[in-house]
Amino acid sequence: MKREALKALTNAHAWIGLVISTVLFIVFFAGSLSLFRDNIAQWESAPHFANEHSSTQISLDNTIAAIEQQYKIYMHDEVRIWLPNKQEPLTNITFAAQLPDEQHQDLDLLLSPSSNKIVGSGDSFDFANFLYGLHVDLHIDEFGKYLVGLTTLFFFVALISGVVIHWRKIIGKFFQYRKDGDKDRLLDAHNVIGVMGLPFHIMYAFSGLVFNLLIIFQISYAVVLYGGDQQALFKDAGFVDTHIEEANIAQPMVGLDKLMAKAKQDLGNVEFTRISIEHFGDQSASIVFIGKDSSQFSTRKEIRYHIASGQELYKTLNNYDNALRSGLSVIASLHFGDFAGYGLRLLFFILGIGTCYIILTGNLMWIEKRASKRKVNKLGLHLVKAMTSGTFIGIIFATGVGFIAARVLPITTVLRSEMIIELFFVCLFATMTASLLSKQSLFTTWLCKLTAMILVAVPLLDWLMFANEIILMVQCQRFDIIVVEVILILLAFACWKFSGQVSTYDTELQVNLPRQDLSNINVNH
Amino acid sequence: MWSRTLSGFILGLLLSISVALNLNLLLPIAQDVSLLIGLLVAFPIWAGVQVWSYSFSSAKQAWLKGTIVLAPNVVLSTILMMMGLSA
């Protein structure tokens, strides 16, 4: 590649990195934690119900009857049931309850599988879902989803351009990390982690694009290939329509246990991940059992029955028998890291946090290069510094505070989850504001140290408040709390180490800048 | 930088759609497999064109070179679509 093209690409790489850095950092940080979404959900709720034990004899009929005793289930919405298992011993059911005047209210309930008694509200334990939402769309709904999609596209662009720039040295300087002397540690750290994690980054860039920007190709296919017939496209894409129109004739919702036994027989080796009932209480009602075959890679099985007649409406033993659905299922499995055990997810977590470090070093290199120039926009530089410290470290700090709040707030607190989310955003905006108004390096150092202490405080609080419950859970081989504590301690360690690096780096920068010409930092790859 | 970003974004998007459609119309394979192949190639093409666009020193060059690559693909898509309609 010509030198001019390489230089143009290097400048573009730095520019793209800076533009997408904030959103990308949030997405990767929240995504890394979301690898343990189920564990975090259990970490938050399980100590409150540690005495509940999973039962292998679950009766759907009894569960539904217990709900119907207290609520009138709204027919036009879907009833979803997550059966208890060894890790999650409570039955979780979501539905809309009919209220007077055609109103309805969404409910998320937790039931004891042995007594079918409602023991809590799923809405009270939403911190894991909040972090996942932050990863998916930054909690800005559709706009956020496309913003994250575009950020992922430019992350992909940064990856490809990074490989092209670094190509000649990608093998020879594979392990190069110049720790001492005046060599560039930031650049080496950026390159080493970037190259070693390259397959992981490519997988995440691609799968993230598929999740957030697939709609673009869906529209183009529907318009050009299918002449606007979206249903025909969905059919080819493996989406089977088994919908039955509402009959508006009342039908008791009984015989569900029989259908569940039949579903187990029909689907073979399967663990149900979800059960849904459509048109609850109507003659048209149908029930679908969705499960995963744990003996095969990324294989979803599903069967749907008409409840009144018991007639089978649809069955698939292999990802809807469609190559596109199979492909999407594989992409999802890779993205969520749910095809193996904790070891793989821990590796993905470390690589994810490593990516956050790449983003951080990218910004620091940009700041360093800009600071070395004679004509420098001081305000712009200060804003980038504030964005880097206030938002990057701030998001970790806010998450730590969120974990603390999720642990200490009583479960009877009204709008508990909403309070935790508000506290999260207050902390984030506070750190962003404080970083704008303070001396950057000092602020970053202390914020990192404070964040590390907050993160370490979470396991301490766990054991202070729920020692007996945690021991009981571990005895039942439920390790969610331990897993979450391990990842928080790892994060705390990373923050503490980084705080030391910031102060050292700042001191060296102050000493070296007047003598060192850093303007060619990027083209010297 | 913004102008090269725009050229890569638009040309990359159009080229990726065009190539995915051409593959779908040309490959004699099941429709679901064809849709999957289209999906697998589309995003890397889009990102690749974006990177290519950045490698030019001016936006004018990026638009020009990108259009030269895009044009035959669009022509092929049009021909294949017309052949499909007339068949």
Side-chain angles (χ1 to χ4, degrees):
Chain A
M1 188 174 252
K2 285 180 186 173
R3 187 173 168 78
E4 294 80 43
L6 201 61
K7 193 176 176 184
L9 213 50
T10 307
N11 288 333
H13 180 81
W15 182 78
I16 296 164
L18 186 72
V19 171
I20 65 170
S21 62
T22 306
V23 174
L24 195 65
F25 189 95
I26 295 171
V27 168
F28 260 94
F29 178 73
S32 301
L33 286 174
S34 295
L35 287 163
F36 299 94
R37 184 183 172 190
D38 291 343
N39 301 101
I40 295 171
Q42 285 300 305
W43 167 87
E44 190 179 7
S45 67
H48 300 283
F49 313 107
N51 292 321
E52 294 290 344
H53 294 289
S54 177
S55 168
T56 50
Q57 297 295 319
I58 306 296
S59 168
L60 271 184
D61 286 317
N62 290 346
T63 305
I64 292 295
I67 294 293
E68 280 193 297
Q69 274 180 3
Q70 297 186 45
Y71 299 98
K72 181 167 169 47
I73 298 177
Y74 184 62
M75 185 181 77
H76 309 294
D77 211 338
E78 198 175 33
V79 176
R80 294 180 173 194
I81 303 160
W82 287 267
L83 295 177
N85 55 43
K86 205 172 105 183
Q87 293 303 314
E88 295 166 28
L90 297 176
T91 306
N92 184 198
I93 178 165
T94 63
F95 61 97
Q98 178 91 54
L99 299 175
D101 302 329
E102 290 296 310
Q103 300 287 310
H104 56 93
Q105 180 194 6
D106 291 333
L107 290 171
D108 181 347
L109 302 177
L110 299 169
L111 277 75
S112 162
S114 50
S115 63
N116 280 318
K117 195 178 154 195
I118 297 168
V119 293
S121 165
D123 289 331
S124 302
F125 308 104
D126 216 28
F127 191 56
N129 290 334
F130 166 72
L131 290 174
Y132 180 66
L134 204 60
H135 167 69
V136 173
D137 59 12
L138 312 170
H139 289 286
I140 331 177
D141 297 330
E142 282 299 294
F143 175 75
K145 189 179 166 189
Y146 300 133
L147 178 65
V148 171
L150 286 176
T151 303
T152 313
L153 174 72
F154 284 96
F155 172 55
F156 204 170
V157 171
L159 283 180
I160 299 172
S161 57
V163 170
V164 173
I165 294 161
H166 194 56
W167 184 249
R168 281 179 301 151
K169 297 176 179 177
I170 206 162
I171 303 289
K173 303 284 169 67
F174 195 81
F175 291 109
Q176 177 173 273
Y177 182 70
R178 290 160 294 184
K179 188 169 146 292
D180 304 314
D182 57 355
K183 302 292 182 185
D184 196 342
R185 276 178 292 169
L186 288 177
L187 182 63
D188 284 347
H190 191 82
N191 289 343
V192 166
I193 303 172
V195 172
M196 285 188 178
L198 192 60
F200 168 85
H201 296 136
I202 291 173
M203 181 273 284
Y204 269 109
F206 180 76
S207 54
L209 276 170
V210 169
F211 291 143
N212 286 35
L213 291 186
L214 181 65
I215 186 79
I216 290 173
F217 295 96
Q218 187 181 317
I219 292 169
S220 63
Y221 275 133
V223 171
V224 183
L225 274 181
Y226 290 83
D229 185 356
Q230 195 155 229
Q231 289 309 315
L233 170 63
F234 283 154
K235 196 179 167 197
D236 280 341
F239 292 88
V240 185
D241 185 14
T242 52
H243 181 79
I244 306 173
E245 288 301 318
E246 288 175 11
N248 283 317
I249 300 168
Q251 170 74 38
M253 294 290 98
V254 291
L256 303 180
D257 289 332
K258 264 189 189 171
L259 290 177
M260 186 158 71
K262 194 164 181 284
K264 276 183 182 161
Q265 201 176 10
D266 289 345
L267 294 182
N269 183 22
V270 71
E271 184 189 327
F272 293 133
T273 48
R274 202 185 75 204
I275 298 167
S276 301
I277 300 173
E278 198 179 60
H279 299 168
F280 188 93
D282 189 63
Q283 200 182 48
S284 64
S286 61
I287 184 165
V288 58
F289 296 90
I290 303 166
K292 265 193 338 190
D293 185 347
S294 51
S295 66
Q296 295 181 55
F297 180 75
S298 192
T299 302
R300 276 167 69 104
K301 295 180 173 183
E302 182 177 322
I303 194 158
R304 183 184 287 270
Y305 300 107
H306 181 226
I307 294 175
S309 65
Q311 186 194 344
E312 179 185 309
L313 298 173
Y314 175 71
K315 181 173 93 167
T316 177
L317 297 177
N318 183 17
N319 292 320
Y320 311 91
D321 311 301
N322 182 283
L324 182 64
R325 291 293 296 268
S326 291
L328 290 175
S329 181
V330 168
I331 289 167
S333 284
L334 289 171
H335 192 93
F336 296 117
D338 62 2
F339 54 91
Y342 284 127
L344 179 98
R345 277 188 283 156
L346 190 63
L347 176 68
F348 276 21
F349 174 77
I350 291 168
L351 286 166
I353 297 300
T355 310
C356 292
Y357 191 68
I358 293 176
I359 300 164
L360 185 66
T361 50
N363 272 24
L364 290 176
M365 280 192 285
W366 187 92
I367 290 166
E368 195 175 271
K369 183 183 173 186
R370 194 50 66 101
S372 69
K373 289 190 173 174
R374 282 181 188 166
K375 280 186 180 177
V376 59
N377 180 344
K378 284 187 176 173
L379 180 66
L381 192 65
H382 184 70
L383 281 174
V384 175
K385 280 182 177 180
M387 181 183 79
T388 304
S389 56
T391 314
F392 290 12
I393 315 300
I395 200 99
I396 308 175
F397 170 75
T399 304
V401 174
F403 269 102
I404 297 259
R407 175 51 73 231
V408 298
L409 275 180
I411 59 170
T412 48
T413 309
V414 181
L415 298 176
R416 182 180 186 274
S417 294
E418 286 77 1
M419 278 176 73
I420 296 170
I421 293 166
E422 279 167 17
L423 187 62
F424 175 93
F425 283 116
V426 166
C427 288
L428 180 59
F429 287 117
T431 52
M432 286 163 74
T433 313
S435 69
L436 276 170
L437 304 173
S438 58
K439 188 175 179 292
Q440 292 298 323
S441 58
L442 195 67
F443 173 76
T444 309
T445 306
W446 282 105
L447 186 60
C448 279
K449 283 185 174 163
L450 181 63
T451 304
M453 287 189 274
I454 284 175
L455 290 168
V456 167
V458 179
L460 293 175
L461 280 171
D462 284 347
W463 286 89
L464 274 173
M465 294 172 71
F466 295 108
N468 292 335
E469 287 82 356
I470 295 171
I471 291 166
L472 193 65
M473 286 174 68
V474 171
Q475 282 169 347
C476 297
Q477 295 191 313
R478 292 168 58 197
F479 301 111
D480 302 292
I481 293 187
I482 306 296
V483 168
V484 173
E485 287 174 351
V486 167
I487 60 168
L488 292 181
I489 289 168
L490 282 175
L491 262 182
F493 178 72
C495 286
W496 193 267
K497 284 290 285 179
F498 184 69
S499 72
Q501 277 190 7
V502 172
S503 45
T504 315
Y505 167 75
D506 189 60
T507 313
E508 284 179 7
L509 194 66
Q510 297 298 328
V511 172
N512 292 336
L513 264 178
R515 288 182 281 116
Q516 198 177 15
D517 179 15
L518 296 167
S519 60
N520 291 326
I521 193 165
N522 281 326
V523 284
N524 284 342
H525 270 249
Chain B
M1 202 65 80
W2 285 108
S3 49
R4 277 183 292 158
T5 303
L6 192 67
S7 75
F9 187 82
I10 292 172
L11 293 172
L13 174 62
L14 293 176
L15 188 67
S16 63
I17 291 173
S18 178
V19 171
L21 289 175
N22 289 344
L23 286 172
N24 193 290
L25 293 164
L26 283 170
L27 293 175
I29 49 176
Q31 192 62 13
D32 56 338
V33 180
S34 179
L35 287 173
L36 179 64
I37 291 173
L39 182 66
L40 291 176
V41 300
F43 287 118
I45 289 175
W46 192 359
V49 171
Q50 188 79 54
V51 173
W52 189 45
S53 181
Y54 284 127
S55 69
F56 296 108
S57 51
S58 74
K60 194 178 163 188
Q61 263 192 313
W63 278 106
L64 189 68
K65 296 277 173 69
T67 309
I68 289 170
V69 175
L70 175 66
N73 277 283
V74 174
V75 170
L76 182 62
S77 298
T78 312
I79 292 168
L80 290 170
M81 292 288 297
M82 288 173 74
M83 283 169 67
L85 286 174
S86 61

